Amino acid sequence: MATFATNQFKQGLKIMLDGDPYTIVENEFVKPGKGQAFNRVKVRNLKTGRVIERTFKSGESVEGADVVDTDMQYLYSDGDAWHFMNPETFDQVQASETAMGDAAQWLKGEETCVVTLYNGEPLTVTPPNFVELKITETDPGVRGDTATGGSKPATLETGAVVKVPLFIEEGEVLKVDTRTGEYVSRVKD
Amino acid sequence: MRAFFDDRGVLEVDTPVLGRGASLEPHLASLSLADPFDEARYLQTSPEAHMKRLLAVGSGPIFQIAHCFRAGEAGRLHNPEFLLLEWYRPGMSLAELCNEVGELISLLHPEIDAATETLDYGECFAGITGLDPHGCPDGALRAWLGEQDLPGDLPMRADCLDLAFSSRVVPRLAERGGLTWVQGFPVCMAQLARVDNDRAVRAELFWNGVEVANAYDELTDAQELARRCQAWAEARRGVGLPVPKVDAALQAAHAHGLPACAGVAVGFDRLLMLANGAPSLDAILPFTAARA
């Protein structure tokens, strides 16, 4: 894996620190007028999500991390692993429950997700920003009750539960923002 | 601004950016130019050398807005090419010159709170680290840096002090905001300032935590200059940095006789950046090095 010197540091660069892959969130060049230069960086641990600060002497080198974000198609899940395929190379990978995180609840099949591969293995999976899913179960709304602004839970075909306005009925297809888990709108055919 | 200096009898000068001399200070990286018809020359890291040569032959007070070049310095507050407003006042004390700097800033940015704080380097440093920067052993500094999860394996004491100061003291200055002079620097950070009473007669001005000026009661002793240059050459050799030849003309100027004077270098781009409330040099420079 390549090494990077401090003058190559920039946001998004993937590096190894203390044996874990990190991404640079912020990079600041610090140099008193007549003094030694430093790079003060904020880095996020790609395994734990924790952000820490580190100071490097100018000119120091760090090892790059083999972390690649790849668009992959979700195929299916066999309960233990979630299977993805690279539509260009037809390579397949299996993501663990840890790597899936919250993503699993939004996927029914064939969605293109961003799979972050670390040394070739899925580290995290990011679903598309929006998905369209059918409601399989929800209490009936009170007819005409469009003005109250209340909400009720609705279970989607993947098992995810979202809050929806009272006028939404079972069987309707919803657009959901996977980043917030919130109902966005109805999808009309 | 020119009227400011004119009123005070300070002459504007314009000296070459290219010269045979280069600074030996360990953390200044000079850009050099190959000349197909002559010996290689350096781009100045500051106009100091030429201006001191003028002072030595009786120029009297002089100022310059100089294009300066420092390799490897790029960031929110740095650009490899930048402007220094530098001036020298024979016969003035450092304190008097610092006042003059304050007057200039008030002129350029009338809204600034003219009440400037003056802090002592040793007190600030000890207050944050619990260590005396003038007297504590190098090992104690490195150990403290290690505890703070900062790199401690730095070659020089001044490097350790700089790291501690910029990481822990400067953010406090930024929080307080406004103008703050820090004076009473440790001897190892004297650069080209006189040393008196075990302190470098040097002061730095911070505006909202950003270093905007560096002022000295200038070193005038030729032998001391030679001694410092030698020490810097060895330090550079020690870490594998290129070692430029000593600037013979600057040495000669000191030997000839530099008048007692206070001098200051103001980061002109930074001054304009802060006066305009801009977040970075990039916001006020028409072209940073990345786009030049």
Side-chain angles (χ1 to χ4, degrees):
Chain A
M1 194 65 222
T3 53
F4 297 103
T6 54
N7 66 345
Q8 297 169 288
F9 281 11
K10 57 179 185 185
Q11 252 190 8
L13 189 70
K14 310 285 191 288
I15 58 176
M16 294 298 296
L17 285 180
D18 306 331
D20 272 352
Y22 282 83
T23 184
I24 295 182
V25 174
E26 239 175 69
N27 172 41
E28 201 180 348
F29 177 78
V30 178
K31 185 181 183 297
K34 301 280 189 167
Q36 158 94 44
F38 300 98
N39 277 68
R40 196 178 291 141
V41 290
K42 279 210 176 83
V43 287
R44 187 174 70 243
N45 185 318
L46 291 171
K47 279 189 183 166
T48 66
R50 216 172 124 239
V51 175
I52 59 171
E53 206 182 76
R54 270 294 172 93
T55 302
F56 293 90
K57 275 187 304 189
S58 200
E60 255 193 272
S61 287
V62 295
E63 207 195 316
D66 181 10
V67 175
V68 181
D69 284 337
T70 321
D71 282 341
M72 297 187 97
Q73 203 178 43
Y74 171 60
L75 298 174
Y76 64 94
S77 150
D78 58 23
D80 291 324
W82 283 255
H83 297 251
F84 290 82
M85 182 183 76
N86 183 326
E88 283 170 32
T89 64
F90 301 105
D91 286 342
Q92 285 195 27
V93 294
Q94 295 176 44
S96 66
E97 201 173 339
T98 323
M100 288 305 293
D102 280 333
Q105 64 178 320
W106 306 119
L107 304 176
K108 56 181 196 232
E110 292 183 33
E111 291 89 350
T112 302
C113 302
V114 174
V115 179
T116 306
L117 295 168
Y118 171 45
N119 290 336
E121 294 297 314
L123 183 63
T124 53
V125 174
T126 313
N129 288 341
F130 298 103
V131 289
E132 291 175 6
L133 297 168
K134 186 186 279 207
I135 300 180
T136 51
E137 197 195 325
T138 191
D139 290 338
V142 176
R143 179 152 329 188
D145 190 5
T146 53
T148 44
S151 63
K152 59 183 179 182
T155 308
L156 304 175
E157 59 186 298
T158 55
V161 178
V162 296
K163 285 216 184 77
V164 299
L166 297 175
F167 58 83
I168 298 286
E169 306 279 0
E170 248 178 49
E172 295 205 60
V173 177
L174 301 182
K175 184 173 172 188
V176 179
D177 185 330
T178 60
R179 294 162 298 185
T180 58
E182 282 174 4
Y183 155 86
V184 175
S185 65
R186 276 192 282 199
V187 176
K188 297 218 164 36
D189 293 320
Chain B
M1 190 179 77
R2 288 195 155 98
F4 176 89
F5 286 108
D6 197 33
D7 288 344
R8 288 163 174 71
V10 184
L11 177 71
E12 182 170 6
V13 296
D14 192 279
T15 58
V17 298
L18 269 183
R20 285 185 194 83
S23 175
L24 277 161
E25 293 182 47
H27 294 301
L28 290 178
S30 306
L31 288 163
S32 66
L33 292 176
D35 183 340
F37 301 107
D38 203 342
E39 60 182 288
R41 280 182 165 68
Y42 297 97
L43 287 172
Q44 62 182 4
T45 53
S46 89
E48 189 162 21
H50 283 121
M51 290 179 84
K52 283 183 170 172
R53 287 165 66 180
L54 288 177
L55 288 166
V57 294
S59 64
I62 46 176
F63 82 94
Q64 181 167 188
I65 302 170
H67 276 253
C68 301
F69 304 83
R70 296 189 186 182
E73 298 192 14
R76 188 176 69 91
L77 299 172
H78 293 86
N79 195 55
E81 180 173 356
F82 63 105
L83 292 177
L84 277 182
L85 166 60
E86 189 152 324
W87 75 100
Y88 293 88
R89 292 295 232 140
M92 250 197 198
S93 70
L94 180 59
E96 286 168 332
L97 181 60
C98 291
N99 274 343
E100 193 165 77
V101 175
E103 283 167 13
L104 177 69
I105 295 183
S106 289
L107 179 75
L108 294 177
H109 192 63
E111 297 92 80
I112 189 111
D113 182 2
T116 314
E117 230 189 334
T118 303
L119 299 176
D120 178 74
Y121 188 103
E123 278 173 30
C124 295
F125 196 96
I128 305 277
T129 66
L131 296 169
D132 170 25
H134 305 291
C136 76
D138 288 359
L141 278 173
R142 292 184 208 284
W144 183 86
L145 288 172
E147 279 163 38
Q148 298 288 310
D149 209 22
L150 292 167
D153 57 333
L154 304 168
M156 301 190 306
R157 181 186 180 82
D159 300 338
C160 295
L161 294 172
D162 267 331
L163 179 56
F165 195 85
S166 62
S167 300
R168 297 287 185 266
V169 178
V170 172
R172 301 281 178 101
L173 298 178
E175 271 166 38
R176 286 154 86 146
L179 293 171
T180 310
W181 281 104
V182 175
Q183 48 105 53
F185 277 69
V187 172
C188 63
M189 299 173 88
Q191 311 307 120
L192 286 176
R194 264 195 335 115
V195 169
D196 191 34
N197 225 9
D198 202 35
R199 296 284 185 273
V201 194
R202 174 182 173 187
E204 282 199 339
L205 181 62
F206 291 84
W207 185 354
N208 293 345
V210 174
E211 183 189 331
V212 292
N214 187 12
Y216 302 152
D217 186 351
E218 304 288 346
L219 173 69
T220 55
D221 182 322
Q223 279 182 327
E224 176 61 12
L225 174 65
R227 196 196 61 76
R228 290 189 196 179
C229 287
Q230 174 123 4
W232 290 332
E234 273 166 35
R236 292 179 78 105
R237 228 168 264 129
V239 290
L241 286 172
V243 185
K245 287 182 311 212
V246 166
D247 187 338
L250 181 62
Q251 186 69 50
H254 282 70
H256 180 82
L258 198 57
C261 62
V264 63
V266 173
F268 198 60
D269 308 296
R270 286 188 187 174
L271 205 60
L272 293 180
M273 178 191 107
L274 290 158
N276 284 286
S280 65
L281 288 189
D282 194 35
I284 55 122
L285 289 179
F287 302 99
T288 55
R291 291 197 313 278

Short mmCIF file of all heavy atoms in Angstrom, two decimals, chain B residues 78-105:
data_model
loop_
_atom_site.label_atom_id
_atom_site.label_comp_id
_atom_site.label_asym_id
_atom_site.label_seq_id
_atom_site.Cartn_x
_atom_site.Cartn_y
_atom_site.Cartn_z
N HIS B 78 -1.43 30.05 5.02
CA HIS B 78 -0.11 30.09 4.37
C HIS B 78 -0.21 29.99 2.86
O HIS B 78 -1.08 29.28 2.33
CB HIS B 78 0.74 28.89 4.84
CG HIS B 78 1.12 28.96 6.28
ND1 HIS B 78 0.32 28.49 7.28
CD2 HIS B 78 2.23 29.44 6.87
CE1 HIS B 78 0.91 28.68 8.44
NE2 HIS B 78 2.07 29.26 8.23
N ASN B 79 0.67 30.69 2.17
CA ASN B 79 0.81 30.52 0.73
C ASN B 79 2.31 30.65 0.47
O ASN B 79 2.96 31.51 1.07
CB ASN B 79 0.03 31.60 -0.03
CG ASN B 79 -0.13 31.26 -1.50
OD1 ASN B 79 -0.63 30.18 -1.83
ND2 ASN B 79 0.29 32.16 -2.38
N PRO B 80 2.87 29.82 -0.43
CA PRO B 80 4.31 29.87 -0.62
C PRO B 80 4.80 31.27 -1.03
O PRO B 80 5.92 31.65 -0.69
CB PRO B 80 4.57 28.87 -1.75
CG PRO B 80 3.39 27.96 -1.74
CD PRO B 80 2.24 28.76 -1.24
N GLU B 81 3.97 32.03 -1.75
CA GLU B 81 4.32 33.41 -2.05
C GLU B 81 3.36 34.30 -1.26
O GLU B 81 2.15 34.10 -1.29
CB GLU B 81 4.16 33.70 -3.55
CG GLU B 81 4.50 35.14 -3.90
CD GLU B 81 4.53 35.42 -5.40
OE1 GLU B 81 4.35 34.48 -6.19
OE2 GLU B 81 4.74 36.59 -5.76
N PHE B 82 3.91 35.25 -0.53
CA PHE B 82 3.06 36.08 0.33
C PHE B 82 3.70 37.45 0.50
O PHE B 82 4.85 37.66 0.12
CB PHE B 82 2.83 35.40 1.68
CG PHE B 82 4.09 35.21 2.49
CD1 PHE B 82 4.34 36.03 3.59
CD2 PHE B 82 5.00 34.23 2.17
CE1 PHE B 82 5.51 35.86 4.34
CE2 PHE B 82 6.16 34.06 2.92
CZ PHE B 82 6.42 34.88 4.01
N LEU B 83 2.93 38.37 1.07
CA LEU B 83 3.44 39.74 1.26
C LEU B 83 3.80 39.99 2.72
O LEU B 83 3.02 39.71 3.62
CB LEU B 83 2.38 40.76 0.84
CG LEU B 83 2.04 40.85 -0.63
CD1 LEU B 83 0.92 41.87 -0.86
CD2 LEU B 83 3.26 41.25 -1.45
N LEU B 84 5.00 40.54 2.93
CA LEU B 84 5.38 41.01 4.26
C LEU B 84 5.50 42.52 4.21
O LEU B 84 6.13 43.06 3.29
CB LEU B 84 6.74 40.44 4.69
CG LEU B 84 6.78 39.04 5.29
CD1 LEU B 84 8.22 38.69 5.70
CD2 LEU B 84 5.85 38.88 6.47
N LEU B 85 4.88 43.18 5.16
CA LEU B 85 5.10 44.61 5.35
C LEU B 85 6.17 44.68 6.43
O LEU B 85 5.91 44.33 7.58
CB LEU B 85 3.81 45.29 5.80
CG LEU B 85 3.95 46.71 6.35
CD1 LEU B 85 4.55 47.65 5.32
CD2 LEU B 85 2.60 47.25 6.83
N GLU B 86 7.37 45.09 6.06
CA GLU B 86 8.47 45.05 7.01
C GLU B 86 9.06 46.45 7.18
O GLU B 86 9.23 47.16 6.18
CB GLU B 86 9.54 44.08 6.51
CG GLU B 86 10.65 43.77 7.49
CD GLU B 86 11.26 42.38 7.28
OE1 GLU B 86 10.51 41.44 6.93
OE2 GLU B 86 12.48 42.23 7.48
N TRP B 87 9.29 46.86 8.42
CA TRP B 87 9.96 48.14 8.59
C TRP B 87 10.90 48.16 9.80
O TRP B 87 10.76 47.34 10.71
CB TRP B 87 8.98 49.31 8.60
CG TRP B 87 8.11 49.59 9.79
CD1 TRP B 87 8.35 50.55 10.75
CD2 TRP B 87 6.82 49.06 10.10
NE1 TRP B 87 7.31 50.61 11.63
CE2 TRP B 87 6.35 49.71 11.25
CE3 TRP B 87 6.01 48.07 9.50
CZ2 TRP B 87 5.11 49.41 11.84
CZ3 TRP B 87 4.79 47.76 10.08
CH2 TRP B 87 4.34 48.43 11.25
N TYR B 88 11.88 49.07 9.72
CA TYR B 88 12.94 49.18 10.71
C TYR B 88 13.03 50.60 11.23
O TYR B 88 12.95 51.57 10.47
CB TYR B 88 14.30 48.77 10.09
CG TYR B 88 14.34 47.30 9.75
CD1 TYR B 88 13.90 46.85 8.51
CD2 TYR B 88 14.78 46.36 10.68
CE1 TYR B 88 13.90 45.49 8.20
CE2 TYR B 88 14.78 45.00 10.38
CZ TYR B 88 14.33 44.58 9.15
OH TYR B 88 14.33 43.24 8.85
N ARG B 89 13.20 50.73 12.57
CA ARG B 89 13.22 52.04 13.24
C ARG B 89 14.49 52.16 14.09
O ARG B 89 14.52 51.74 15.26
CB ARG B 89 12.00 52.17 14.15
CG ARG B 89 10.69 52.27 13.41
CD ARG B 89 10.63 53.53 12.59
NE ARG B 89 9.42 54.28 12.84
CZ ARG B 89 9.39 55.63 12.93
NH1 ARG B 89 10.51 56.32 12.80
NH2 ARG B 89 8.26 56.24 13.16
N PRO B 90 15.55 52.72 13.48
CA PRO B 90 16.76 52.94 14.28
C PRO B 90 16.43 53.83 15.48
O PRO B 90 15.68 54.81 15.36
CB PRO B 90 17.69 53.67 13.30
CG PRO B 90 17.19 53.31 11.94
CD PRO B 90 15.71 53.12 12.09
N GLY B 91 16.97 53.47 16.62
CA GLY B 91 16.79 54.29 17.81
C GLY B 91 15.50 54.03 18.58
O GLY B 91 15.34 54.54 19.68
N MET B 92 14.57 53.24 18.03
CA MET B 92 13.33 52.96 18.76
C MET B 92 13.49 51.70 19.59
O MET B 92 14.19 50.78 19.19
CB MET B 92 12.20 52.72 17.75
CG MET B 92 11.17 53.81 17.73
SD MET B 92 9.69 53.21 16.90
CE MET B 92 8.93 54.77 16.54
N SER B 93 12.77 51.64 20.69
CA SER B 93 12.76 50.41 21.47
C SER B 93 11.70 49.47 20.89
O SER B 93 10.83 49.90 20.13
CB SER B 93 12.40 50.72 22.93
OG SER B 93 11.03 51.10 23.00
N LEU B 94 11.77 48.21 21.27
CA LEU B 94 10.79 47.24 20.81
C LEU B 94 9.38 47.68 21.22
O LEU B 94 8.45 47.64 20.43
CB LEU B 94 11.11 45.85 21.36
CG LEU B 94 10.14 44.73 20.95
CD1 LEU B 94 10.08 44.59 19.44
CD2 LEU B 94 10.56 43.40 21.58
N ALA B 95 9.25 48.13 22.45
CA ALA B 95 7.94 48.54 22.95
C ALA B 95 7.36 49.69 22.13
O ALA B 95 6.17 49.70 21.79
CB ALA B 95 8.04 48.94 24.42
N GLU B 96 8.23 50.64 21.77
CA GLU B 96 7.77 51.78 20.97
C GLU B 96 7.31 51.31 19.59
O GLU B 96 6.30 51.77 19.05
CB GLU B 96 8.89 52.83 20.83
CG GLU B 96 9.14 53.63 22.09
CD GLU B 96 10.44 54.44 22.02
OE1 GLU B 96 11.38 54.03 21.29
OE2 GLU B 96 10.51 55.48 22.70
N LEU B 97 8.07 50.40 19.02
CA LEU B 97 7.70 49.89 17.70
C LEU B 97 6.38 49.12 17.77
O LEU B 97 5.54 49.26 16.88
CB LEU B 97 8.81 48.99 17.13
CG LEU B 97 8.52 48.42 15.73
CD1 LEU B 97 8.33 49.54 14.71
CD2 LEU B 97 9.64 47.49 15.30
N CYS B 98 6.18 48.35 18.82
CA CYS B 98 4.93 47.62 18.97
C CYS B 98 3.74 48.59 19.01
O CYS B 98 2.69 48.32 18.43
CB CYS B 98 4.94 46.76 20.23
SG CYS B 98 6.08 45.36 20.12
N ASN B 99 3.95 49.73 19.67
CA ASN B 99 2.90 50.75 19.68
C ASN B 99 2.59 51.24 18.29
O ASN B 99 1.43 51.44 17.91
CB ASN B 99 3.33 51.97 20.52
CG ASN B 99 3.01 51.76 21.97
OD1 ASN B 99 2.21 50.90 22.33
ND2 ASN B 99 3.64 52.54 22.82
N GLU B 100 3.66 51.44 17.52
CA GLU B 100 3.49 51.92 16.16
C GLU B 100 2.72 50.91 15.31
O GLU B 100 1.87 51.28 14.50
CB GLU B 100 4.86 52.22 15.54
CG GLU B 100 4.75 53.03 14.25
CD GLU B 100 6.08 53.63 13.83
OE1 GLU B 100 6.93 52.88 13.30
OE2 GLU B 100 6.27 54.85 14.03
N VAL B 101 3.01 49.63 15.52
CA VAL B 101 2.28 48.58 14.80
C VAL B 101 0.80 48.68 15.13
O VAL B 101 -0.06 48.59 14.25
CB VAL B 101 2.81 47.16 15.16
CG1 VAL B 101 1.96 46.09 14.49
CG2 VAL B 101 4.25 47.01 14.73
N GLY B 102 0.50 48.89 16.40
CA GLY B 102 -0.89 49.03 16.85
C GLY B 102 -1.56 50.22 16.16
O GLY B 102 -2.71 50.14 15.73
N GLU B 103 -0.81 51.32 16.03
CA GLU B 103 -1.37 52.51 15.38
C GLU B 103 -1.68 52.21 13.91
O GLU B 103 -2.70 52.66 13.38
CB GLU B 103 -0.37 53.68 15.46
CG GLU B 103 -0.32 54.34 16.83
CD GLU B 103 0.88 55.27 16.98
OE1 GLU B 103 1.54 55.58 15.96
OE2 GLU B 103 1.18 55.65 18.13
N LEU B 104 -0.80 51.47 13.28
CA LEU B 104 -1.04 51.14 11.86
C LEU B 104 -2.29 50.27 11.72
O LEU B 104 -3.11 50.49 10.84
CB LEU B 104 0.17 50.40 11.27
CG LEU B 104 -0.01 49.96 9.82
CD1 LEU B 104 -0.06 51.18 8.90
CD2 LEU B 104 1.11 49.02 9.39
N ILE B 105 -2.43 49.29 12.58
CA ILE B 105 -3.59 48.40 12.49
C ILE B 105 -4.88 49.17 12.73
O ILE B 105 -5.88 48.97 12.04
CB ILE B 105 -3.45 47.20 13.45
CG1 ILE B 105 -2.27 46.35 13.01
CG2 ILE B 105 -4.74 46.38 13.47
CD1 ILE B 105 -2.06 45.10 13.82
#
